[in-house]
Amino acid sequence: MAFPYSIQGAVTLSSVAQASVTVTLRNERTNETISTTTDANGEYILDCANLASGYSTGDLVTVFSIYTNYEDSESHTITTGGTTIDLALIVVPSSNTLRYFTVQNFY
């Protein structure tokens, strides 16, 4: 059983707390993820011990959120004691070169 390693923070958009936003943590070593949803105050808490394979000191994790047309992400190296990572959502830039394909486009 892994010891708790909490990562907590808040999600904001234009400095306003955002409720019901999904926040995901990915362990870059194992590619495993866990997710949660922000509360009414835009706050979240994730525990790396809830990753299926756990975590190791020195693992790089990325905390990210993609919400409608906004996103933010932060990376963190696990040490001891937990940390706070606040996410300030910014608009996803549009692209004239982005194209979507379906399976039918290839056959």
Side-chain angles (χ1 to χ4, degrees):
M1 182 172 190
F3 291 103
Y5 188 87
S6 296
I7 296 178
Q8 61 187 6
V11 177
T12 58
L13 176 61
S14 299
S15 300
V16 176
Q18 298 297 301
S20 303
V21 174
T22 300
V23 178
T24 302
L25 177 142
R26 180 179 54 237
N27 183 324
E28 300 298 343
R29 179 178 57 86
T30 64
N31 208 34
E32 293 174 341
T33 62
I34 54 174
S35 296
T36 192
T37 303
T38 58
D39 64 15
N41 298 316
E43 297 174 346
Y44 72 92
I45 187 166
L46 292 160
D47 187 349
C48 294
N50 291 330
L51 289 161
S53 297
Y55 69 92
S56 299
T57 300
D59 280 356
L60 179 67
V61 295
T62 301
V63 177
F64 63 92
S65 182
I66 301 171
Y67 178 68
T68 61
N69 204 31
Y70 302 90
E71 69 179 359
D72 192 17
S73 66
E74 298 290 334
S75 294
H76 170 73
T77 301
I78 294 176
T79 54
T80 57
T83 192
T84 299
I85 297 176
D86 292 328
L87 298 174
L89 299 174
I90 58 171
V91 68
V92 175
S94 62
S95 172
N96 294 332
T97 60
L98 183 63
R99 294 182 59 201
Y100 294 95
F101 294 94
T102 65
V103 174
Q104 290 81 10
N105 293 119
F106 292 101
Y107 295 102

